[in-house]
Amino acid sequence: MHSTPAKAAADDPLAPAGRRSGRQRAGAALGFSLALAALAAAVVASLAIGARSIPPTEVIEALLGRGSQDVVGIVGELRVSRTVMGVTCGAALGVAGALMQAVTRNPIADPGILGVNAGAALGVVLGASVTGGLGLASTVWFALVGAGVASAIILLLSASRMAAASPVRLTLAGVALAAVLSGFSQALVVLDESVLESYRFWQVGSLTARPVDQVTGVIPLIIAGAAISLLLLRGLDALALGDDSATSLGVKPGRVRIWSLVAVALLAGTATALAGPIGFIGLIVPHVARGIVGPGLRRIVPLSIVLAPALLLFSDVLGRVIGGGAEIPAGVVTAFIGAPLLIALLVTRRRVVVA
């Protein structure tokens, strides 16, 4: 059987770059379209499914301010708030995870695993102790500082000879940092009972913590972090080739790393101040995106912006369904999903190193 020229070119790894890039663009476009469809489905599910399921037609009427007052209250106030929270925090954590994996050259990096979320959480607790509550306006700046300090520590560790030689060592160092920071947070909460009740539910990661007006008030911080990230993509792709190669391409590695730190602090810090320290979103999503569109960050990050909210919203919906009347917070569900994946990644990479 004779193959057609098109099929032969598709099967040939030495086919002209134009043909390969055309196939890559087509695959990326298809992947992005499917991700948008998944996000749309997640938004509809978040608005319609819960302890009381509501038909899509009634959801639309409630969003327009019509229908029964009960449905308007459930959809227009409670579920819209947590849906906006899911989209906002999911996008922030997905981009932050992709950035951390790129700048540390560690495929198992994640704001939760490496302690950035724990640093932001410690900042929130410090802010709550100082101001007397977990109000977003009074804690978000503390969270940004805490995330920035933790990001700087991880960046320094990733550049050290000990951690740079092994992603597993950097991950263990990050887990240790997260444990230390979480211990400080717990100590402060125990000493200040005024924030204990609010902190108890917030600390596991939940999309019910903030009304929609508070979320929209800090969206500019997440937009700023995402914009910085998009501007860094070319430099981060160059860093993957090594500092010397990046410098020869006109990229300044130190500047790229510093701005990456700023972006991660803005994204992870704001998301943690909003919803609590939700883990594993930043670990899972970049790997899924990389499997769909390849290794280039200029495709991974835009796809992560869409995929991460979809995963977080589906986790939140799953927590509502399996919890029955008592909801399981989204952060618990993402931990159940992400922990086995982390173990699989660690085992896989260890086998590769041994081999």
Side-chain angles (χ1 to χ4, degrees):
M1 181 182 292
H2 296 287
S3 61
T4 65
K7 185 179 186 301
D11 295 335
D12 184 5
L14 299 179
R19 293 179 183 175
R20 294 201 307 273
S21 61
R23 292 196 299 272
Q24 289 172 351
R25 285 195 296 270
L30 177 61
F32 199 80
S33 299
L34 292 175
L36 285 173
L39 178 58
V43 169
V44 172
S46 180
L47 293 173
I49 299 174
R52 173 182 174 182
S53 295
I54 301 172
T57 54
E58 293 186 27
V59 170
I60 294 173
E61 289 184 356
L63 293 174
L64 296 175
R66 299 197 296 264
S68 69
Q69 290 301 113
D70 288 344
V71 175
V72 170
I74 293 172
V75 174
E77 296 178 13
L78 300 178
R79 292 187 185 173
V80 165
S81 293
R82 68 196 302 169
T83 301
V84 173
M85 279 268 287
V87 172
T88 303
C89 296
L93 293 172
V95 176
L99 248 64
M100 291 201 72
Q101 290 176 14
V103 77
T104 62
R105 300 173 188 170
N106 185 341
I108 48 181
D110 164 77
I113 294 173
L114 296 188
V116 178
N117 287 353
L122 177 58
V124 169
V125 173
L126 284 171
S129 299
V130 172
T131 62
L134 281 172
L136 185 61
S138 59
T139 57
V140 65
W141 303 110
F142 289 91
L144 294 179
V145 173
V149 172
S151 298
I153 293 172
I154 291 301
L155 192 60
L156 291 173
L157 286 174
S158 68
S160 68
R161 183 175 302 177
M162 179 273 294
S166 170
V168 175
R169 288 180 181 176
L170 179 60
T171 301
L172 292 175
V175 170
L177 175 64
V180 171
L181 295 175
S182 297
F184 280 120
S185 297
Q186 295 289 345
L188 288 172
V189 168
V190 170
L191 294 174
D192 190 348
E193 295 183 3
S194 63
V195 298
L196 179 59
E197 289 300 319
S198 298
Y199 179 77
R200 185 178 298 168
F201 191 71
W202 173 88
Q203 69 174 333
V204 296
S206 171
L207 300 185
T208 63
R210 309 289 183 187
V212 69
D213 57 335
Q214 289 190 14
V215 181
T216 55
V218 296
I219 283 180
L221 295 174
I222 292 178
I223 292 175
I228 293 171
S229 303
L230 293 174
L231 293 173
L232 292 172
L233 297 185
R234 176 182 171 274
L236 287 169
D237 276 335
L239 281 184
L241 304 173
D243 286 8
D244 293 338
S245 297
T247 302
S248 68
L249 293 172
V251 174
K252 298 181 178 179
R255 181 177 297 180
V256 170
R257 290 190 176 96
I258 290 172
W259 280 108
S260 296
L261 186 154
V262 172
V264 168
L266 283 170
L267 294 166
T270 305
T272 303
L274 281 171
I278 295 176
F280 295 104
I281 293 291
L283 170 68
I284 299 170
V285 169
H287 281 281
V288 174
R290 193 174 294 111
I292 295 173
V293 298
L297 280 174
R298 279 174 281 190
R299 294 186 298 271
I300 290 174
V301 168
L303 187 56
S304 296
I305 292 175
V306 181
L307 280 176
L311 176 59
L312 184 53
L313 287 176
F314 277 128
S315 298
D316 184 52
V317 171
L318 183 61
R320 301 182 217 174
V321 172
I322 64 179
E327 295 183 3
I328 299 176
V332 175
V333 178
T334 60
F336 274 111
I337 296 172
L341 179 60
L342 174 62
I343 294 171
L345 287 170
L346 288 171
V347 171
T348 301
R349 290 195 64 80
R350 184 173 180 83
R351 286 177 180 169
V352 170
V353 171
V354 171

